[in-house]
Amino acid sequence: MGILAISAIMVAGAGFYLFSQSFPNFKPGEKKIQADLKTIRQEVLKSTPDLTPMRTEDLESLSSKEMDKSIKKRATTDQRGVFVTIFEEPAAAYYHRKYLSNKRDALIFAKTYHHEYTYWIKGDEVNLVIDQQPLGVYNEKTGELIGARSQKMIAKLDKSKPAKMEMTIQGRAVGNIVAPRPGGKDTLSQRCFDFVRNDLSKEEEAILLAIAIFEMVERKV
């Protein structure tokens, strides 16, 4: 066998090896997602600074400003950061992993002082889990959250006005998620909410934060 033929085989073999290594990242299944989630969660818990506890009355201080932001591109594209309050307090850590795919496949793990959130993104649909309990499927285009148990809409983010989106849970308006003002450099221009009800239940608070954190992360990646 000639040298050129041997070289061709070696190149082909190397190409196959690289493909086989990246294949699980092309269209991740349940097993791959769960394995990656375990790794990502441990990484976030290990390296995240102490997060400030936010009561309902503190939610309006959450901002889209970040600290400790980093991006790594390998077989996957990994981005992480910590959203802070308008007082520069670390409030919500996240880790976003984008997989090699001809469609949208990604995984997000986020943590606040009180809750852990997992988002498995497949196209426009997002499987949302709070504290290891399946909440439902969120449609990023329509803003509707369909409950995992009821299979009915339990929450909706009104996306008709992207600059100021009203969030309703079980038909009740609970707050407005706002986009950062273009060119705004002051801290207040980066707030996540411009209004949050002061009588939220613990469940409403967790759902509102789940959607808000997802929307903030998606603007960053």
Side-chain angles (χ1 to χ4, degrees), residues 97-134:
R97 171 164 290 177
K98 182 181 178 182
Y99 295 93
L100 300 172
S101 176
N102 54 1
K103 292 187 178 180
R104 191 159 171 249
D105 283 284
L107 176 65
I108 300 172
F109 173 77
K111 179 170 181 16
T112 63
Y113 183 88
H114 295 291
H115 299 288
E116 293 183 2
Y117 301 94
T118 303
Y119 313 80
W120 183 6
I121 306 166
K122 295 182 285 186
D124 294 327
E125 294 190 337
V126 183
N127 287 286
L128 175 55
V129 176
I130 300 179
D131 298 330
Q132 300 182 9
Q133 298 297 316

Side-chain angles (χ1 to χ4, degrees), residues 6 20 25 34 43 62 117-118 150 157 166 169 188 196 215:
I6 293 174
S20 66
N25 297 306
Q34 291 303 324
E43 181 65 24
L62 180 63
Y117 301 94
T118 303
S150 67
L157 184 64
E166 183 184 65
I169 299 177
L188 292 178
V196 176
E215 292 289 334

Side-chain angles (χ1 to χ4, degrees), residues 18-19 21-29 32-33 35-37 39-40 70-80 95-101 105-108 221:
L18 291 173
F19 176 76
Q21 290 295 101
S22 64
F23 182 74
N25 297 306
F26 184 75
K27 193 70 177 175
K32 172 66 174 172
I33 288 294
D36 282 5
L37 175 59
T39 301
I40 289 171
S70 67
I71 301 174
K72 292 182 180 179
K73 294 186 178 182
R74 297 169 293 188
T76 58
T77 299
D78 293 1
Q79 180 168 316
R80 57 184 303 178
Y95 195 120
H96 178 282
R97 171 164 290 177
K98 182 181 178 182
Y99 295 93
L100 300 172
S101 176
D105 283 284
L107 176 65
I108 300 172
V221 299

Side-chain angles (χ1 to χ4, degrees), residues 14 49 102 140 158 181 186 192 216:
N102 54 1
E140 189 175 4
D158 184 358
R181 294 201 299 270
D186 61 292
C192 176
M216 285 200 296

Side-chain angles (χ1 to χ4, degrees), residues 147-182:
R149 293 184 179 180
S150 67
Q151 294 299 304
K152 295 180 180 179
M153 186 173 72
I154 59 175
K156 182 176 174 62
L157 184 64
D158 184 358
K159 296 206 160 187
S160 62
K161 297 178 181 178
K164 184 175 181 178
M165 301 178 286
E166 183 184 65
M167 182 79 180
T168 56
I169 299 177
Q170 301 291 10
R172 186 170 97 113
V174 295
N176 298 329
I177 298 175
V178 295
R181 294 201 299 270

